């Protein structure tokens, strides 16, 4: 007969039979509003019936596969703690490769203008804005619900150098009236028939933020071709893409006459981002990003 659960530690012990132990700790910290240290120091505290009901309900949802980020409503990215929900893609560590490359390119600028297309939770735009306070950052998304989350994150972080616009890619901008020094995007890039869309966390994330046509390149084609009209002379475009799409994306950059085309790898040693400078085709491959 199972021991009746009365304390935090007893719940954590029993929860590990249903969910990953780290997930159980995150759920407990969320429901009980405790830090990791607080959870350790209070593991003998008795749970109220309401707390126990909340913990059991969340662990059941996690057992069904719902992402831990959606259950607790936050995800860490770069140096930021971001609010997320089912209207936004869950920020991933691989995307930090894009942020690092953008910050490297922004170093020579005094007051750069940056555009983040398809901002979702605001992860890329807010990471750049926090590290480069002299930048004027514009973040767009076609989802009003995602923009509400991104705006809430900017407000919580006290970042006032970010403007949010609603619309699909460049349609969110006044036509050719704004130009940028750096444009970044983590667009949908998974093939629409990819079986991974029916597995793991991807089952719960917005399909419009994940899939992009038969080869996964539909949105990347549109962004790469369209960005040249919104880049200042010598400006840069950086996009995230799939691990097996580097060659195809470099070709798209060359077809739109970018120079200094380069693919960089993520921390798992996979092709992850490609960048290029507005005008004339020179393709090169790059080693892993430097720390």
């Amino acid at each position: 007969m199972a021991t009746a659960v009365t304390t935090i530690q007893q719940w954590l012990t029993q929860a590990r039979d249903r969910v990953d132990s780290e997930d159980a700790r995150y759920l407990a910290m969320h429901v009980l509003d405790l830090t990791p240290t607080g959870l350790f120091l209070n593991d003998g505290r008795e749970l109220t019936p309401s707390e126990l009901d909340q913990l059991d309900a969340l662990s059941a949802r996690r057992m069904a596969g719902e992402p831990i980020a959606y259950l607790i409503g936050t995800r860490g990215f770069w140096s930021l703690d971001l609010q997320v929900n089912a209207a936004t893609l869950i920020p991933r560590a691989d995307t930090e490769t894009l942020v690092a490359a953008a910050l490297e390119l922004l170093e020579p600028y005094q007051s750069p203008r940056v555009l983040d297309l398809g901002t979702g939770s605001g992860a890329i735009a807010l990471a750049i804005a926090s590290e480069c306070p002299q930048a004027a950052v514009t973040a767009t998304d076609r989802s009003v619900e995602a923009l509400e989350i991104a705006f809430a994150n900017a407000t919580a972080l006290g970042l006032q150098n970010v403007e949010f616009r609603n619309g699909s890619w460049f349609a969110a901008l006044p036509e050719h009236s704004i130009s940028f020094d750096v444009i970044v995007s983590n667009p949908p890039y998974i093939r629409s028939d990819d079986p991974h869309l029916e597995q793991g966390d991807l089952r719960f994330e917005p399909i419009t933020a994940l899939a992009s046509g038969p080869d996964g390149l539909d949105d990347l084609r549109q962004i790469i071709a369209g960005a040249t009209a919104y880049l200042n002379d010598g400006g840069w475009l950086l996009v995230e893409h799939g691990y097996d799409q580097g060659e195809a994306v470099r070709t798209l950059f060359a077809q739109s006459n970018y120079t200094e085309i380069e693919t960089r790898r993520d921390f798992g040693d996979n092709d992850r981002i490609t960048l290029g400078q507005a005008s004339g085709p020179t393709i090169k491959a790059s080693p892993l990003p430097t720390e």
Side-chain angles (χ1 to χ4, degrees), residues 183-257:
I183 297 176
V184 295
S185 185
N186 176 18
Y189 54 75
I190 300 176
R191 298 191 316 274
S192 55
D193 63 351
D194 192 312
H196 291 95
L197 292 170
E198 302 300 324
Q199 300 172 13
D201 288 358
L202 296 185
R203 293 172 294 161
F204 295 85
E205 296 183 80
I207 189 66
T208 54
L210 295 169
S212 186
D215 60 0
L217 297 173
D218 283 2
D219 289 297
L220 282 162
R221 289 188 183 93
Q222 185 176 346
I223 290 167
I224 293 166
T228 55
Y230 293 90
L231 282 167
N232 290 325
D233 185 32
W236 293 88
L237 172 66
L238 303 89
V239 296
E240 180 171 333
H241 52 74
Y243 72 95
D244 57 351
Q245 294 174 327
E247 182 176 359
V249 173
R250 291 194 297 274
T251 298
L252 292 174
F253 270 76
Q255 289 170 350
S256 290
N257 296 323

Side-chain angles (χ1 to χ4, degrees), residues 12-29:
L12 288 171
T13 299
Q14 291 198 10
R16 288 167 191 152
D17 294 333
R18 307 189 299 274
V19 299
D20 179 82
S21 59
E22 192 66 16
D23 287 349
R25 286 171 51 80
Y26 276 119
L27 294 178
M29 288 187 289

